[in-house]
Amino acid sequence: MKTHFLIISNLLMLLFICSCNSSPVMTRATGLANEIVVVMDKEDWESNAGIAVKSELETPVPGLPQVEPSLKITYVTPKDFNGLLTYVRNILVVQINESMYTKVSVKTEFNRWANGQAVVTLNAPDHLSLSEYMDTHREVIVNFFVQVERNRTLEQLEKNYSTLVRDILREKYDILLNAPADMTYYRDSTDFFWASNNANTGRTDLVVYTFPYTDPNTFTEEYLVAKRDSFLKKNLPGAFPDSYMTTESRFGLTYTPLTVRGKYCGELRGLWKMVGDMMGGPFVSHIRLDEENNRVVVVEGFVFAPETNKRNFIRRIEAALYTLRLPGEFDKPVNPNEKSDI
């Protein structure tokens, strides 16, 4: 009996020592991708300042066939912000108080109440100063949360990706790319690769193609759209005779220069359609120069989801494009972005 008592005492002492020397385990952040909780006094939320905050967070996602907000908002007053709401993955706290603040300030925090959480605190002395700040710093806050979500997706793609797509692209195209793990359908031909999740809802496809770099005007919207249409017409025929994929030119296209892994990257974004068929949806392309092989490498994701919203689908495949690594970059991390900040 004495022996059992000593064993139990030693175990309890060991547990006590371990608990003193280890940090508490944080709750994992909850909530769905691209959703945010906004904490703000009701009077402020219903003012022009609140309208400006809401307008910022609901900035339309570019390149979609219908208007979809960048973030889905759940509004709550400070007194109701407790319990499970404090564990949500994206939180914006807005405080307007003339006696406490003399100017607008913004603070970002990670893992404040939960692990994997991003929190932005926006302080202002009055409604006017906050409205003016939102007007002169358009999309800064929404872009912060969009990048945070992209970084979360990149973390997932680093651990869970399609080995089939990765192996084929490494062997035949001498590039690395982490495509979503559910992309198990593929077709490969000379200088053109296609993969898909072939989903009944929210079908997402990935294409990769290359061509020699011979023209200094390659990285222009006009040149890249012409190349895109040429490759897609040849390699992605439709279900009907003489049907094929092309770029939808009746609506806006955007070409944006980016810096990815310290190098120039062209981003082409817009809508695709099938000639001779009733199909279409959004696409986004990353175009980079492979200097070692003097070629242009294009990686593109597109979505076909006529029955539902497309924001989350296009953002997921867009994140995968950032994992592209050209020769000389294979030892680089999957996520090329620096730490999210404002």
Side-chain angles (χ1 to χ4, degrees), residues 88-106:
V88 174
R89 61 200 284 157
N90 300 316
I91 296 175
L92 172 63
V93 179
V94 183
Q95 301 175 122
I96 301 177
N97 191 317
E98 189 174 11
S99 63
M100 293 180 62
Y101 311 112
T102 59
K103 63 180 181 178
V104 177
S105 64
V106 183

Side-chain angles (χ1 to χ4, degrees), residues 2-255:
K2 185 177 180 180
T3 302
H4 288 305
F5 176 79
L6 288 174
I7 293 174
I8 293 172
S9 298
N10 289 337
L11 286 174
L12 289 174
M13 181 61 69
L14 181 61
L15 288 172
F16 175 77
I17 293 172
C18 290
S19 64
C20 292
N21 293 335
S22 61
S23 57
V25 177
M26 292 189 72
T27 301
R28 185 69 187 171
T30 62
L32 300 177
N34 303 306
E35 296 189 355
I36 186 169
V37 167
V38 179
V39 185
M40 195 171 180
D41 283 332
K42 191 172 189 296
E43 178 186 352
D44 299 332
W45 178 247
E46 294 175 348
S47 71
N48 288 336
I51 292 172
V53 170
K54 182 178 180 181
S55 177
E56 160 86 359
L57 299 178
E58 292 184 341
T59 299
V61 179
L64 296 186
Q66 69 282 321
V67 176
E68 294 186 40
S70 286
L71 297 168
K72 181 181 178 180
I73 298 173
T74 296
Y75 164 71
V76 62
T77 63
K79 69 180 181 63
D80 293 325
F81 180 61
N82 51 53
L84 293 177
L85 287 175
T86 63
Y87 300 147
V88 174
R89 61 200 284 157
N90 300 316
I91 296 175
L92 172 63
V93 179
V94 183
Q95 301 175 122
I96 301 177
N97 191 317
E98 189 174 11
S99 63
M100 293 180 62
Y101 311 112
T102 59
K103 63 180 181 178
V104 177
S105 64
V106 183
K107 181 175 70 172
T108 61
E109 296 175 87
F110 293 91
N111 310 320
R112 179 173 179 180
W113 293 292
N115 191 31
Q117 181 183 68
V119 179
V120 172
T121 302
L122 183 59
N123 299 322
D126 50 55
H127 294 165
L128 179 60
S129 61
L130 181 58
S131 298
E132 290 177 344
Y133 176 88
M134 302 303 289
D135 186 56
T136 57
H137 296 78
R138 291 183 182 274
E139 300 185 26
V140 169
I141 292 176
V142 71
N143 287 342
F144 166 81
F145 283 109
V146 169
Q147 183 174 332
V148 165
E149 288 288 12
R150 181 187 303 145
N151 288 343
R152 290 180 179 130
T153 303
L154 287 166
E155 288 178 7
Q156 295 170 0
L157 288 172
E158 189 168 15
K159 303 171 186 175
N160 189 24
Y161 55 85
S162 172
T163 56
L164 182 149
V165 171
R166 184 183 171 103
D167 291 346
I168 292 175
L169 293 180
R170 175 67 185 270
E171 180 180 352
K172 296 197 66 175
Y173 294 84
D174 196 24
I175 63 174
L176 286 181
L177 189 140
N178 289 30
D182 58 358
M183 289 197 161
T184 55
Y185 298 84
Y186 78 98
R187 184 170 66 247
D188 185 27
S189 58
T190 304
D191 295 331
F192 190 90
F193 174 82
W194 163 87
S196 175
N197 62 3
N198 205 32
N200 293 325
T201 300
R203 171 172 164 168
T204 306
D205 292 31
L206 173 79
V207 296
V208 178
Y209 56 91
T210 67
F211 55 89
Y213 177 67
T214 58
D215 191 331
N217 295 317
T218 292
F219 289 89
T220 63
E221 179 181 318
E222 182 180 10
Y223 188 99
L224 292 170
V225 169
K227 275 290 186 183
R228 179 180 190 274
D229 289 344
S230 174
F231 271 94
L232 296 185
K233 182 177 182 180
K234 177 182 177 182
N235 293 282
L236 291 181
F240 300 100
D242 300 322
S243 63
Y244 56 89
M245 181 180 285
T246 190
T247 306
E248 175 57 86
S249 58
R250 295 176 298 172
F251 305 99
L253 288 168
T254 59
Y255 179 73

Side-chain angles (χ1 to χ4, degrees), residues 240-314:
F240 300 100
D242 300 322
S243 63
Y244 56 89
M245 181 180 285
T246 190
T247 306
E248 175 57 86
S249 58
R250 295 176 298 172
F251 305 99
L253 288 168
T254 59
Y255 179 73
T256 307
L258 306 176
T259 300
V260 178
R261 305 187 189 283
K263 300 291 183 65
Y264 182 91
C265 172
E267 178 195 83
L268 186 64
R269 186 187 298 271
L271 301 178
W272 63 272
K273 67 177 182 179
M274 294 297 294
V275 174
D277 199 352
M278 298 294 291
M279 295 179 66
F283 78 87
V284 58
S285 304
H286 277 194
I287 306 98
R288 295 190 58 200
L289 176 62
D290 176 6
E291 297 177 0
E292 289 193 14
N293 296 291
N294 199 42
R295 63 176 178 169
V296 177
V297 178
V298 181
V299 292
E300 174 179 313
F302 57 89
V303 171
F304 179 64
E307 72 290 347
T308 187
N309 290 334
K310 301 158 186 63
R311 176 193 61 201
N312 290 6
F313 297 121
I314 196 67

